[in-house]
Amino acid sequence: MASAAKNIDGGWARVILTCGFFCMFLNGFMCYSVGVIAEALLEEFDGDLASTAAVGTSIIGIEHLLGPFIGIGINIVGCRCCTIFGGVVAMLGLVGASMSKHLSTMMGTFGILSGGASYPSYVIRTKHVQRQGNIGT
């Protein structure tokens, strides 16, 4: 009996790999962009340097804090649903951050909503791309 070779990375694997890469790229840009525009944020919100820097660091902290819970959600409802939901929540967080008038609102929308929603883009690459997965990281 000859078994047919299974195409591991067929179908949508390269599209998923490309989209996951760009999600990771944009998430890194969001984390480090606060340091680039820190002076403008200090002038806009009249806050101190520590609370302004906490906006950017809360993205990374919330992402890693919610990681196990998002992983449980991915195992229950699937990676596709969690990624779409995460993208919508991140979009709402970024829109809310663009309209915020106070630093605490900016921390809640940009830091917490956008930071917690980007984690499924890391997981989807490992679930759907096996052979060429290291290219996207």
Side-chain angles (χ1 to χ4, degrees), residues 62-82:
I62 292 296
E63 179 180 302
H64 293 301
L65 183 69
L66 294 179
F69 301 109
I70 294 172
I72 291 169
I74 287 171
N75 288 333
I76 292 173
V77 296
C79 202
R80 183 181 305 166
C81 292
C82 283

Side-chain angles (χ1 to χ4, degrees), residues 38-109:
E39 186 175 333
L41 289 175
L42 284 169
E43 291 174 8
E44 177 72 24
F45 295 117
D46 292 328
D48 59 341
L49 186 60
S51 59
T52 305
V55 172
T57 58
S58 64
I59 294 173
I60 299 170
I62 292 296
E63 179 180 302
H64 293 301
L65 183 69
L66 294 179
F69 301 109
I70 294 172
I72 291 169
I74 287 171
N75 288 333
I76 292 173
V77 296
C79 202
R80 183 181 305 166
C81 292
C82 283
T83 303
I84 292 170
F85 179 73
V88 170
V89 171
M91 180 196 64
L92 292 174
L94 291 174
V95 168
S98 68
M99 294 186 282
S100 65
K101 302 286 185 203
H102 302 287
L103 195 59
S104 60
T105 310
M106 180 93 162
M107 170 107 48
T109 55

